Amino acid sequence: MSVEIIKINGYAADTHHVITEDGYILELHRISSSKSGQKPTKNFPVFFHHAFLSSSAGWVLGGANTSLSMQLADDGYDVWLANSRGNTYSRKHVSLNYKQKAYWNFSLHEIGTYDLPAAFDYILMKTNASQLHYIGYSMGTTVFYIMASERPEYQSKIRSQISLAPVAYFSHTRSPIKYIAPYAKMMNIAYQRISNGMVMPQTTMKMIFASTVCGGKMTQKLICQRGIIFFICGSDPQHFNTKLIPLIMGHYPSGTSSMVPEHFAQIKLKDVFGRYDYGPVTNLERYNSTEPPAYDLTSIRVPITLMYGKNDLVADVQDVMRLKSQLPRLMDAVMIDNPYCNHVDFLWSLKVNEHVNDPIKETLRKTDDVNWKYSGPNPPKLKDVLDVGGNVSDGSIGGSGYVNISSSAANVGVNGIVDVNANENVSIDDGGHFNVSNSAGDDVGNNSNVDFGSGVATSGGDVPSDLDYFAKNLRRIIADAMPKSMDRDDDAAVFEREQTLQETLLADAIEFVRSVHKKYGPALDWQKSSTSATHHRNAEQVVASPKDAPAR
């Protein structure tokens, strides 16, 4: 448990409970003094929010030598660790039981608009502070952007925000899990029937798996590190701290609602950072629109620092640049100085102090000064400019934040999005992306990916589903998701072994999704046709009475 880990490392830890507006009881973990017992001396407390399917444990598993939360407590900060609704620590409600379906009726939107404001109010009340610093990792950044855009009255309560592996868009995500995204709605239906909407909770069986399979040296590297962590997040054989694997797998996953991964999938498929899509009829009732509204990132006036990795399969650099272009109070955007930096290196790299913790401490030292005021972004650094096929200059990224690709085959629109015409291909080097409108087929090079959006691969002829394409081209897709070998310590041989293992594990995962689709797919098809028919009957009535739509 998180509190026990904190205490074992010599720090005082407290547990606090917060009730949200909609009745969820959240558990916050507080590091209330330094290791020597000194009480906080800094001006503003620091609030940490975890990633998808994680918990407060993610911030303390590394111990005092590498955990930013403990190091900031030693620096005099009052440290608070969040646990979002539905995870291991926050599974209570004032009137609902977590075994009821109604308990799991929440998406990213509710975490952002209810959980965060409740935690902020409680922390500021307990500490008698006027503002707090926010450090979010992965989903912890997503829910912050939702909170800041939907609850603007809370922006003034945030002194500064630091986004680690920031996630608002998935247009260029290279993680192979993107091929499962079109099936997220069907998986949600399955989980609603199987477990009332609870997905991947921490169980005794998973803890046994962590201590046995992920405890042995051979199985630890082959299954837990190479086959699970690197597959989803990116490969880093140089710096990933393998000794933490049993601890990581013992606390992960910690559970959430099946609506949360579906919400992420909707962001990917729609290419819009927007609210949860309930379908046209319910959307009309909730939003007075058949499509869910987008979150307005340009309305966020909080000073934000982005930190991202070149080898992060989840938060791709181009998606981070798109996010960067929409943040009006950007302080800095820092690419981690490690070509293998993946999605989990922000917490568990052997060099996390040098690459992540120390720069964060410097930012906090500056913004914690009561006289500090935002004065604009830091000047761009050369290393922050992504070189795609030699055709991207500092200026082509600086203006809009998008990668501007010159190519005789492609037209670049006003937003920097590459528009590929029929029968044309764009080849992008160094782990880039193919956006193909017609002639992709199997002629995809080893250093590029094919993004089929919401399931449409090509025009003309039979179009395979994302899952069929995934299965057919599994080995190539896995190879494309890996970084280029630096030829250090037999990296090439390591990547080859890792690729073979991932191919075996993912083949089994594909068969699982197919079996779920076979069982629950007809229910999804019925729901779609039913929703479409009902939409025509009810649309006029809902639009005619916008005042009856529920308030946000």
Side-chain angles (χ1 to χ4, degrees):
M1 296 295 112
S2 300
V3 170
E4 283 71 20
I5 294 174
I6 296 170
K7 290 181 177 179
I8 287 173
N9 281 273
Y11 297 82
D14 304 324
T15 298
H16 298 256
H17 293 97
V18 179
I19 302 177
T20 67
E21 290 180 40
D22 55 346
Y24 287 80
I25 302 174
L26 311 177
E27 184 167 308
L28 302 179
H29 296 147
R30 182 186 191 184
I31 307 178
S32 54
S33 64
S34 68
K35 196 168 187 175
S36 63
Q38 182 181 6
K39 294 299 180 182
T41 58
K42 298 298 185 181
N43 295 309
F44 305 100
V46 181
F47 178 82
F48 287 78
H49 201 288
H50 56 79
F52 172 60
L53 287 174
S54 189
S55 69
S56 58
W59 298 107
V60 298
L61 291 177
N65 290 333
T66 59
S67 292
L68 178 63
S69 59
M70 298 180 191
Q71 293 177 8
L72 291 184
D74 284 333
D75 287 346
Y77 292 95
D78 194 346
V79 174
W80 296 76
L81 310 177
N83 285 291
S84 63
R85 60 180 64 194
N87 83 0
T88 303
Y89 301 104
S90 298
R91 203 161 287 170
K92 295 180 180 179
H93 192 278
V94 295
S95 61
L96 298 173
N97 185 288
Y98 77 92
K99 295 181 180 179
Q100 295 176 276
K101 180 176 286 189
Y103 177 91
W104 299 102
N105 185 26
F106 64 84
S107 66
L108 291 166
H109 184 80
E110 284 72 29
I111 298 174
T113 57
Y114 290 123
D115 290 13
L116 296 191
F120 296 163
D121 287 341
Y122 182 87
I123 293 169
L124 295 178
M125 181 269 294
K126 292 292 289 186
T127 61
N128 198 30
S130 59
Q131 295 178 303
L132 56 79
H133 302 285
Y134 185 109
I135 298 177
Y137 164 53
S138 191
M139 187 191 80
T141 70
T142 311
V143 294
F144 175 85
Y145 305 141
I146 292 173
M147 181 281 303
S149 61
E150 292 292 301
R151 302 292 297 269
E153 68 272 22
Y154 280 89
Q155 292 189 27
S156 62
K157 299 183 181 184
I158 311 301
R159 183 71 177 175
S160 66
Q161 201 271 3
I162 298 173
S163 293
L164 307 180
V167 173
Y169 297 103
F170 292 102
S171 304
H172 300 89
T173 185
R174 291 173 292 146
S175 177
I177 60 173
K178 69 181 179 178
Y179 292 94
I180 309 297
Y183 301 88
K185 187 173 187 64
M186 175 265 294
M187 297 296 286
N188 183 18
I189 292 175
Y191 276 110
Q192 293 286 340
R193 297 187 177 186
I194 295 170
S195 59
N196 284 332
M198 177 171 60
V199 60
M200 300 185 76
Q202 190 179 65
T203 63
T204 302
M205 185 59 68
K206 288 191 178 105
M207 296 178 75
I208 293 173
F209 175 84
S211 61
T212 55
V213 175
C214 290
K217 286 188 177 180
M218 182 64 69
T219 53
Q220 180 187 100
K221 281 185 174 293
L222 288 179
I223 298 178
C224 302
Q225 175 184 331
R226 310 290 184 194
I228 299 175
I229 298 173
F230 283 2
F231 155 61
I232 297 172
C233 303
S235 304
D236 186 3
Q238 295 292 327
H239 301 111
F240 181 72
N241 189 352
T242 57
K243 293 181 180 179
L244 293 178
I245 289 177
L247 278 174
I248 294 170
M249 300 307 293
H251 290 83
Y252 184 93
S254 66
T256 189
S257 164
S258 56
M259 290 172 64
V260 172
E262 188 188 0
H263 196 172
F264 273 124
Q266 290 172 0
I267 294 172
K268 161 63 182 170
L269 299 177
K270 292 174 177 291
D271 197 24
V272 174
F273 182 49
R275 293 182 64 167
Y276 184 85
D277 187 353
Y278 291 91
V281 172
T282 306
N283 286 345
L284 275 170
E285 295 171 351
R286 285 176 171 263
Y287 312 135
N288 200 31
S289 169
T290 56
E291 286 293 323
Y295 297 114
D296 185 7
L297 292 166
T298 63
S299 69
I300 301 176
R301 302 295 167 178
V302 177
I304 294 176
T305 297
L306 305 177
M307 299 184 72
Y308 55 99
K310 187 175 183 179
N311 185 39
D312 188 337
L313 299 189
V314 180
D316 186 83
V317 175
Q318 294 184 62
D319 291 330
V320 175
M321 291 299 102
R322 181 178 178 184
L323 166 66
K324 171 186 172 184
S325 71
Q326 298 179 58
L327 298 174
R329 286 204 158 194
L330 183 76
M331 287 180 58
D332 205 354
V334 181
M335 179 185 283
I336 303 301
D337 188 18
N338 167 22
Y340 286 163
C341 181
N342 64 20
H343 200 64
V344 295
D345 278 342
F346 291 90
L347 298 185
W348 303 313
S349 166
L350 292 170
K351 291 194 173 185
V352 69
N353 288 332
E354 174 188 345
H355 292 158
V356 180
N357 295 356
D358 290 347
I360 289 177
K361 292 176 187 177
E362 184 59 38
T363 297
L364 291 178
R365 273 194 290 269
K366 177 172 61 176
T367 58
D368 196 69
D369 187 332
V370 293
N371 296 316
W372 176 84
K373 291 184 179 180
Y374 173 78
S375 59
N378 289 334
K381 301 178 179 65
L382 183 61
K383 68 179 181 179
D384 292 335
V385 179
L386 178 64
D387 182 13
V388 183
N391 290 322
V392 178
S393 64
D394 191 7
S396 62
I397 290 184
S400 67
Y402 286 91
V403 177
N404 189 356
I405 306 167
S406 359
S407 168
S408 59
N411 299 317
V412 181
V414 293
N415 292 323
I417 302 295
V418 179
D419 178 23
V420 187
N421 298 321
N423 301 315
E424 295 175 337
N425 295 300
V426 176
S427 177
I428 306 172
D429 297 326
D430 197 18
H433 227 70
F434 274 109
N435 288 313
V436 187
S437 62
N438 195 1
S439 56
D442 292 328
D443 299 323
V444 182
N446 286 334
N447 293 316
S448 302
N449 293 332
V450 179
D451 184 2
F452 293 140
S454 60
V456 179
T458 60
S459 59
D462 294 330
V463 181
S465 70
D466 279 8
L467 198 63
D468 291 337
Y469 179 87
F470 191 16
K472 182 180 178 182
N473 298 278
L474 185 57
R475 184 167 180 80
R476 180 177 294 170
I477 290 167
I478 294 172
D480 293 343
M482 291 184 180
K484 291 183 177 179
S485 171
M486 297 296 164
D487 294 324
R488 298 180 301 198
D489 297 337
D490 300 321
D491 283 355
V494 170
F495 286 160
E496 179 63 28
R497 290 194 298 270
E498 178 182 329
Q499 183 173 329
T500 301
L501 176 67
Q502 289 186 11
E503 185 176 1
T504 301
L505 293 173
L506 286 174
D508 291 340
I510 290 170
E511 289 310 309
F512 169 73
V513 174
R514 279 178 168 156
S515 66
V516 174
H517 182 263
K518 183 177 180 181
K519 185 172 183 179
Y520 296 104
L524 181 59
D525 293 337
W526 176 87
Q527 185 185 66
K528 284 181 179 178
S529 60
S530 175
T531 300
S532 178
T534 309
H535 161 62
H536 291 292
R537 292 195 300 269
N538 295 331
E540 183 177 350
Q541 177 183 351
V542 176
V543 173
S545 305
K547 64 183 179 186
D548 295 330
R552 176 184 55 78

